[in-house]
Amino acid sequence: MEKVIEEKKQGTSLFLDQKENNTKKLFIESYGCQMNFADSEIVASILANEGYNTTQNLEEADLVLVNTCSIRDKAEQTVRKRLEKYNAVKTINPSMKVGVLGCMAERLKSKFLEEEKIVDMVVGPDAYKDIPNLLKDVNDGRDAINVILSKEETYGDIAPVRLNSNGVTAFVSITRGCDNMCTFCVVPFTRGRERSRDPQSIMEEIKDLYERGFKEVTLLGQNVDSYLWYGGGLKKDFDKATEMQKATAVDFAQLLDMSATAHPKMRFRFSTSNPQDMHDEVIQVMAKHNNICKYIHLPVQSGSTRILKEMNRQHTREEYMALVDRIYNIIPEISLSQDMITGFPTETEEDHQDTLSLMEYVNYDFGYMFAYSERPGTLAARKLEDDVPEEVKKRRLQEVIDLQQKISLKRTQRFLGETVEVLIEKESKKSDEHWSGRNSQNTTVVFPKGNYKVGDFVMVKITDCTSATLIGEVVGYSEMQ
């Protein structure tokens, strides 16, 4: 018999799917991208069938897992500090087992077990179904490692356990891996080739979420726009598919349209988009449906065509700007966000100025900005000298951040005096008398609680703002309610 245990945490309902007869405790933490958090829910589901319920108390855990990120050195250092904490607890509770999951596990492989001896188990992103067998290896005193990458695994047959959920928003993975060999990125090496999940399993997962009261779904993938299902196989093999397979194929625009049509009372988001693969059909579908949020995360990495070529990005500055023009033309109210890297090898002041001018052209609502960090195993690490001085990287990064904050304030000010639809997601971090949610454009909105609750769709009149937050008053429920 299964039940849902509801706990109260900081004024927000915390739903954990638990099995009543499970006796062992799993503590799992996730770092990095949204895909890692979604993967942790898959792992929790697999282990639920092995007798584990999730816990938020590290000290009582029988098994501790950390789902890791390798995109930057800082992310790896954060994980190492957490492993030190786990091992300190393990000296008090020697029976506790510790495992590393995800991209960092894939990149470092046996180093954790053989050289550092700080974990009991190492599991790559495509090997989560093997965790029960690896736990047996641990108990039998054998090395427990599986970092084999798969060309087929999508975990489409596993219903994720919703971890630390507000019961309102959820992630649904639609693709795994990446075929874009950007020279700065480890993802193709840590997550393998790109493959798409069966659309039927995606629609079934969304339907289950709807029936359980969830109000918003984010469709996830390293590159959602290249989603393509034609009955199996990698995207690169589509030209070899039969005519029948091609005739019944489902691409991302169709999947998005299917999702929004099937559940008009749910909101849909997606992430992440790759500029080279975003087609006008996707933008048209977004414009067609009110329940598809008007927001696109559209990483560019640099505003310089020369640097984009060095990065092996499959678009130029001009092509990116043309795509942005089409998006604004079709959806004038859209919000766009960026990923930006400063100080990539050979970047000059002219290249940097190209990045700043592109930001002003696009008018991003917000962004994720970093100084270049050389990642072992990438083409850039093998072929390009990290020749931009650290102080120059940091100075350029600060200029990018300062400009983005200026643009962000201008973008939030456009909502002053407007009334926007907001899905209430949680209590405000700064006040237990205010709710927090996001509008369609993915901007955080804060307002007095009144008689409303988490999960309500409300209309909020905006009276004030910062560069990151809208502030207002509820004027009633929205049509989505």
Side-chain angles (χ1 to χ4, degrees):
M1 176 182 179
E2 297 188 17
K3 65 178 181 179
V4 174
I5 297 177
E6 181 178 335
E7 301 175 5
K8 296 292 182 182
K9 183 183 181 184
Q10 297 179 346
T12 301
S13 293
L14 174 68
F15 293 83
L16 298 176
D17 295 333
Q18 307 283 39
K19 288 192 174 181
E20 190 172 6
N21 296 324
N22 283 356
T23 58
K24 292 177 284 188
K25 296 295 180 68
L26 165 68
F27 179 90
I28 186 166
E29 285 187 324
S30 303
Y31 293 90
C33 67
Q34 294 171 325
M35 284 291 293
N36 278 2
F37 288 83
D39 278 3
S40 291
E41 295 183 335
I42 290 169
V43 171
S45 180
I46 291 168
L47 286 169
N49 294 325
E50 299 296 318
Y52 290 87
N53 278 341
T54 53
T55 178
Q56 295 196 332
N57 184 355
L58 172 62
E59 284 71 19
E60 73 174 11
D62 300 288
L63 175 61
V64 176
L65 299 175
V66 57
N67 203 338
T68 60
C69 176
S70 274
I71 198 71
R72 282 171 293 277
D73 182 64
K74 184 178 178 181
E76 291 196 358
Q77 295 308 315
T78 299
V79 169
R80 289 189 178 280
K81 288 179 181 178
R82 291 305 291 163
L83 288 172
E84 291 175 6
K85 169 67 174 178
Y86 303 156
N87 279 278
V89 174
K90 193 173 180 180
T91 60
I92 304 170
N93 179 14
S95 64
M96 188 178 85
K97 307 301 180 187
V98 177
V100 173
L101 312 176
C103 293
M104 194 172 170
E106 188 69 38
R107 192 180 79 76
L108 295 177
K109 299 180 171 65
S110 59
K111 184 177 180 180
F112 279 128
L113 289 172
E114 296 171 2
E115 297 177 29
E116 303 182 19
K117 302 185 186 303
I118 54 175
V119 300
D120 301 294
M121 181 169 61
V122 178
V123 191
D126 290 345
Y128 297 145
K129 288 179 181 176
D130 197 34
I131 290 177
N133 295 323
L134 294 172
L135 285 172
K136 293 175 183 176
D137 289 339
V138 172
N139 292 329
D140 291 340
R142 297 191 295 271
D143 285 348
I145 179 170
N146 186 339
V147 290
I148 298 172
L149 291 175
S150 168
K151 293 182 178 180
E152 290 83 32
E153 184 61 78
T154 64
Y155 299 110
D157 57 332
I158 293 177
V161 165
R162 302 299 166 179
L163 298 173
N164 300 331
S165 173
N166 56 10
V168 174
T169 61
F171 298 133
V172 173
S173 297
I174 66 169
T175 71
R176 297 187 71 82
C178 184
D179 286 347
N180 298 313
M181 299 298 290
C182 299
T183 59
F184 56 81
C185 188
V186 298
V187 168
F189 308 105
T190 59
R191 285 189 169 270
R193 298 303 301 268
E194 184 178 290
R195 60 270 191 201
S196 298
R197 180 177 162 190
D198 177 358
Q200 182 177 346
S201 72
I202 295 170
M203 297 303 294
E204 288 172 355
E205 184 174 341
I206 294 171
K207 181 174 182 287
D208 175 69
L209 289 167
Y210 175 76
E211 291 174 347
R212 294 171 61 185
F214 283 78
K215 301 295 182 67
E216 182 179 285
V217 163
T218 300
L219 303 176
L220 287 183
Q222 253 71 41
N223 185 11
V224 291
D225 294 279
S226 62
Y227 175 90
L228 180 64
W229 173 262
Y230 59 96
L234 302 176
K235 185 186 72 171
K236 70 180 183 64
D237 296 326
F238 182 61
D239 58 342
K240 302 174 186 175
T242 67
E243 290 304 314
M244 181 175 292
Q245 285 176 316
K246 290 181 179 181
T248 58
V250 177
D251 64 14
F252 181 59
Q254 292 168 310
L255 179 68
L256 195 58
D257 187 48
M258 288 162 53
S259 302
T261 300
H263 301 286
K265 291 295 185 179
M266 290 186 86
R267 285 208 309 199
F268 290 90
R269 302 183 187 273
F270 56 88
S271 186
T272 294
S273 293
N274 191 304
Q276 74 193 55
D277 293 312
M278 171 157 269
H279 304 297
D280 287 4
E281 289 83 359
V282 172
I283 308 168
Q284 297 286 359
V285 170
M286 292 180 70
K288 171 183 171 183
H289 293 280
N290 290 332
N291 60 328
I292 299 178
C293 292
K294 305 305 184 271
Y295 162 70
I296 302 172
H297 182 53
L298 198 64
V300 64
Q301 311 302 350
S302 173
S304 162
T305 292
R306 189 186 70 81
I307 292 296
L308 290 171
K309 186 175 181 180
E310 293 287 346
M311 292 177 165
N312 197 35
R313 301 286 287 174
Q314 302 301 306
H315 60 86
T316 64
R317 168 191 175 92
E318 291 73 24
E319 288 168 342
Y320 185 90
M321 293 166 71
L323 171 61
V324 168
D325 288 344
R326 295 199 303 276
I327 292 171
Y328 277 128
N329 183 55
I330 296 170
I331 313 175
E333 72 274 24
I334 198 78
S335 281
L336 301 176
S337 62
Q338 44 86 349
D339 285 350
M340 205 71 74
I341 298 172
T342 65
F344 189 79
T346 77
E347 184 186 70
T348 65
E349 278 302 314
E350 183 180 357
D351 296 322
H352 174 57
Q353 291 301 319
D354 281 348
T355 291
L356 296 176
S357 66
L358 179 73
M359 292 173 64
E360 291 180 320
Y361 182 88
V362 176
N363 274 320
Y364 295 106
D365 286 68
F366 55 93
Y368 304 91
M369 299 149 284
F370 306 94
Y372 174 69
S373 170
E374 187 175 85
R375 307 309 296 133
T378 61
L379 189 62
R382 297 198 304 270
K383 301 289 187 181
L384 299 174
E385 180 186 353
D386 189 3
D387 60 353
V388 179
E390 201 63 30
E391 61 271 18
V392 175
K393 289 181 185 179
K394 290 181 179 179
R395 189 258 301 165
R396 291 176 182 169
L397 175 61
Q398 192 58 54
E399 290 179 4
V400 167
I401 292 171
D402 290 345
L403 177 58
Q404 184 58 65
Q405 288 181 335
K406 178 183 174 182
I407 297 172
S408 293
L409 179 58
K410 182 177 70 173
R411 294 294 286 169
T412 55
Q413 286 174 338
R414 69 186 160 130
F415 292 108
L416 290 174
E418 299 293 320
T419 300
V420 300
E421 182 184 77
V422 179
L423 172 60
I424 301 177
E425 297 179 37
K426 58 186 177 181
E427 199 172 80
S428 169
K429 292 180 180 179
K430 296 184 178 180
S431 169
D432 60 7
E433 296 181 356
H434 288 73
W435 288 128
S436 173
R438 288 171 295 163
N439 66 358
S440 179
Q441 287 76 14
N442 206 41
T443 304
T444 297
V445 186
V446 174
F447 48 92
K449 284 184 174 179
N451 296 320
Y452 302 98
K453 64 183 185 300
V454 169
D456 284 346
F457 281 105
V458 293
M459 302 303 296
V460 180
K461 184 171 184 179
I462 305 305
T463 57
D464 199 1
C465 70
T466 69
S467 62
T469 306
L470 300 174
I471 301 161
E473 300 277 345
V474 179
V475 295
Y477 290 107
S478 83
E479 293 181 358
M480 290 280 287
Q481 183 64 17

